[in-house]
Amino acid sequence: MRVLVIGSGAREHALLLALSKDPAVTALACAPGNAGTAALAETYGVDLADPNAVAALAKEWDAGLVVIGPEVPLVAGAADPVRAVGIPVFGPSKEAARIEGSKAFAKDVMQAADVPTARSEIVDTPARLDAALHRFGPTWVVKDDGLAAGKGVVVTKDYDVARAHAMHLLDGGHPVLLESFLDGPEASLFCVVDGTTVVPLLPAQDFKRVGDNDAGPNTGGMGAYSPLPWAPSGLVDDVVARIVQPVVDELAARDTPFSGLLYCGLALTSDGPQVIEFNCRFGDPETQVVLALLRTPIAGLFLAAAEGRLASHPPLEWEDGAAVTVVIAAEGYPGRPRTGDVITGAELDGVLHAGTRRRDDGAVVSAGGRVLSVVGTGPSLAEARLAAYRLVERVELTGSHHRSDIALKAVDGDVHIP
Ligand code: AMP
Ligand code: GLY
């Protein structure tokens, strides 16, 4: 099987690594890729925002399967023209990708499916803002009602900070979504879906804030671990039964079946799991840890999803133990990152690339905010964590920063559901 992966992050590097281990895979390509993915796959340029360009590349390269990683091409509708030329694709249609592309659509689907989630209200004019803010908080949750790469959300106990963020969004012409605050630890559950059947992967936890102890602004994600030693037994089955399957059924009933990876972002509250968000694709950096533990050949799983055959796919097999990833970010991230610095250790096993590129002289240099995602595995979460941080020590990038507390509370038995 010839597999084309669309995207250029550490998620795509992890996808390619998993695909390269599937004996059914005969050739791999990645577009636009990075310095790390180029070691595993042929590299092509593509405009991620142009669905027809993705389809043209898939056809030209004679792909047998296309895997679309990021939300931007999916929300733009890249899966549709690929399917239209007869190539199986792992990724939802433009219509189904609205579960991530429009938070208002996601809320509507959740309401129809009777799925537990935060109470919400959309504000599209400053005149209505103050009255609306008074119906929420403290704590306030203020979101951009569109794609914002995890950075459009402010969670704050400070009314003025909440108001200023909402005004900033409104001034930029973006409707604002206010939500009730969901207390409790967060978990990400990825489900492979073929329109009807749901196959959950292992749950993971992401670290969204830039600094240790969750200080500072939200980012795309600074680290992750899997599985969750603190999760109640039955969590995954419960979330599939009460949340994921009803949403998949609702989307199918609306004639917009979801085929691809449905990412369920949860808060585990005292009232049970509640949805923070759905995404229409694998999460980054959780994918790096979940796929590090998956033993089942992944190209076969993706093709079964693309072809609507998940009901007859054999049960997934997992490695024992745990995986931890630590993101190494460039100076300035999540603001404007410093780029162009030479990276030492980028070629080490377990170092996945995100914002990297190979310079003409062959050196690997930083080229984005999240630069590397360093993965450690081990028989226990504590050992996986040590392995990840030992590897971080072997990487050098001027000005870079990373969190030092990824998976620490879980190792210490200090994660509690309220
Ligand atoms: P989102 O872009 O919707 O995933 O939000 C980014 C992050 O903000 C989430 O991972 C949570 O940490 C936090 N967040 C979003 N919505 C809520 C909420 N209703 N209650 C508590 N935290 C939230
Ligand atoms: N890790 C969060 C996301 O991928 O949206």
Side-chain angles (χ1 to χ4, degrees):
M1 193 190 321
R2 293 171 61 81
V3 186
L4 167 65
V5 173
I6 301 297
S8 63
R11 163 185 51 210
E12 285 73 28
H13 196 174
L15 284 164
L16 287 163
L17 196 60
L19 286 162
S20 71
K21 292 177 184 156
D22 185 332
V25 173
T26 53
L28 283 173
C30 186
N34 59 41
T37 63
L40 293 168
E42 298 167 39
T43 304
Y44 295 90
V46 76
D47 177 358
L48 290 179
D50 180 354
N52 291 321
V54 172
L57 174 62
K59 210 169 163 196
E60 200 177 310
W61 190 70
D62 195 22
L65 173 69
V66 178
V67 179
I68 304 177
E71 62 274 24
V72 167
L74 288 166
V75 171
D80 297 324
V82 180
R83 276 197 191 95
V85 295
I87 300 173
V89 48
F90 186 72
S93 68
K94 181 176 184 168
E95 280 297 309
R98 292 175 69 210
I99 195 81
E100 171 164 5
S102 164
K103 292 192 192 278
F105 175 78
K107 286 286 179 192
D108 189 58
V109 169
M110 282 189 266
Q111 195 172 16
D114 202 14
V115 161
T117 183
R119 181 172 63 86
S120 70
E121 219 177 289
I122 292 202
V123 179
D124 52 13
T125 151
R128 290 186 44 227
L129 181 59
D130 283 292
L133 281 169
H134 285 295
R135 289 192 284 273
F136 291 87
T139 301
W140 286 274
V141 179
V142 182
K143 299 189 180 185
D144 182 341
D145 180 47
L147 286 184
K151 288 177 272 186
V153 181
V154 163
V155 180
T156 178
K157 291 191 167 83
D158 185 330
Y159 183 87
D160 294 334
V161 171
R163 187 175 194 284
H165 184 60
M167 282 306 293
H168 169 75
L169 293 173
L170 290 170
D171 284 345
H174 297 243
V176 169
L177 187 80
L178 300 180
E179 281 188 5
S180 58
F181 177 68
L182 298 175
D183 207 0
E186 287 181 40
S188 304
L189 182 66
F190 298 164
C191 296
V192 177
V193 180
D194 66 359
T196 321
T197 301
V198 174
V199 176
L201 308 186
L202 289 181
Q205 190 175 51
D206 179 18
F207 291 74
K208 293 252 165 67
R209 303 280 185 144
V210 71
D212 281 2
N213 293 313
D214 295 330
N218 268 320
T219 69
M222 293 298 290
Y225 64 92
S226 179
L228 310 176
W230 49 268
S233 67
L235 174 74
V236 169
D237 289 345
D238 185 39
V239 169
V240 169
R242 289 175 46 203
I243 295 174
V244 184
Q245 190 70 56
V247 162
V248 166
D249 293 347
E250 173 65 23
L251 288 169
R254 293 179 183 216
D255 250 352
T256 55
F258 189 99
S259 171
L261 195 289
L262 187 57
Y263 165 138
C264 186
L266 299 159
L268 304 182
T269 74
S270 49
D271 294 333
Q274 303 221 23
V275 176
I276 288 182
E277 62 169 347
F278 279 106
N279 291 321
C280 66
R281 39 107 194 150
F282 275 104
D284 189 341
E286 300 98 306
T287 300
Q288 289 87 300
V289 287
V290 172
L291 295 190
L293 299 172
L294 181 64
R295 216 186 290 153
T296 300
I298 204 171
L301 176 66
F302 288 168
L303 190 63
E307 294 181 338
R309 294 186 282 103
L310 279 181
S312 56
H313 191 274
L316 301 186
E317 289 181 43
W318 297 95
E319 304 289 346
D320 293 328
V324 172
T325 189
V326 178
V327 168
I328 298 182
E331 183 177 330
Y333 180 80
R336 209 181 129 93
R338 159 179 173 155
T339 58
D341 292 296
V342 174
I343 305 164
T344 313
E347 71 300 335
L348 292 168
D349 255 4
V351 175
L352 299 177
H353 290 217
T356 70
R357 68 180 174 86
R358 197 171 286 279
R359 222 166 47 184
D360 288 346
D361 65 359
V364 175
V365 298
S366 56
R370 291 191 291 178
V371 180
L372 302 169
S373 183
V374 174
V375 182
T377 55
S380 68
L381 187 59
E383 285 158 293
R385 183 170 189 276
L386 283 178
Y389 278 105
R390 251 186 255 123
L391 197 47
V392 168
E393 291 309 313
R394 297 176 63 195
V395 172
E396 274 175 54
L397 169 63
T398 307
S400 68
H401 58 97
H402 62 268
R403 281 183 65 157
S404 68
D405 65 345
I406 303 300
L408 182 58
K409 282 189 175 156
V411 167
D412 289 345
D414 209 12
V415 183
H416 306 285
I417 298 172

